[in-house]
Amino acid sequence: MSEETQGDYQQLNGIALAYMGDAIYEVFIRRHLIEAGLTKPTKLHHQATNYVSAKAQAALIDKMTKDAILTETEQDYFHRGRNAKSYTHAKNTSVLTYRVSTGFEALFGYLYLSDQMDRLNWLAHWCIEQVESGSLVNED
């Protein structure tokens, strides 16, 4: 990424960051599932929802907050996504859960666009471990 475009992510709204973060997080999950030996599309899709649903992402960000693993800057980007005006509607979840999951995705978009790949990898694998351990609580 050039110096000129490097700082552009700082100007992006939370929805644009979430758009990128959704794709990035999905790639981590798809790779994880394929490496785990899943190959049938219906099984892959079903398993992926355990990681990428709005409810799962909201539970993950809640655990990140409780475990205090986010930096202040990461929290700011989460808030930017959570507080952004969205014109899409929540599907099968509350508006609050949907907004929190948008913040989760914005965080991943920020990490990717700011080239923080080590942190992005660490956080994605942390999320996978949390889902697989069954330690998340879905309140929605």
Side-chain angles (χ1 to χ4, degrees):
M1 198 178 288
S2 72
E3 271 187 50
E4 184 177 300
T5 58
Q6 179 105 18
D8 287 350
Y9 69 88
Q10 295 171 334
Q11 305 305 316
L12 289 175
N13 67 43
I15 300 301
L17 289 168
Y19 176 76
M20 176 58 79
D22 177 51
I24 296 304
Y25 185 61
E26 181 85 25
V27 168
F28 276 100
I29 299 309
R30 288 179 181 203
R31 182 175 182 163
H32 169 72
L33 295 175
I34 288 172
E35 287 176 350
L38 297 174
T39 57
K40 294 187 174 156
T42 54
K43 186 73 170 167
L44 285 164
H45 178 72
H46 178 71
Q47 287 297 314
T49 59
N50 294 324
Y51 300 86
V52 300
S53 71
K55 291 176 185 178
Q57 291 175 345
L60 284 163
I61 203 78
D62 185 54
K63 186 150 175 55
M64 287 177 203
T65 302
K66 286 180 181 169
D67 291 357
I69 65 168
L70 297 180
T71 68
E72 189 174 325
T73 301
E74 290 168 347
Q75 290 174 30
D76 290 344
Y77 278 93
F78 159 71
H79 289 125
R80 184 186 295 191
R82 184 197 64 194
N83 297 337
K85 278 271 194 219
S86 175
Y87 299 99
T88 57
H89 302 288
K91 298 176 205 103
N92 305 316
T93 192
S94 72
V95 172
L96 177 61
T97 299
Y98 184 76
R99 290 180 65 148
V100 170
S101 71
T102 301
F104 173 93
E105 292 168 347
L107 169 62
F108 274 78
Y110 154 69
L111 290 172
Y112 178 76
L113 292 172
S114 61
D115 276 336
Q116 296 184 57
M117 297 310 172
D118 288 341
R119 179 64 172 164
L120 181 65
N121 279 308
W122 185 89
L123 199 56
H125 288 97
W126 181 90
C127 289
I128 290 167
E129 288 173 12
Q130 300 311 302
V131 171
E132 292 187 345
S133 72
S135 67
L136 300 179
V137 176
N138 286 329
E139 297 176 3
D140 191 58

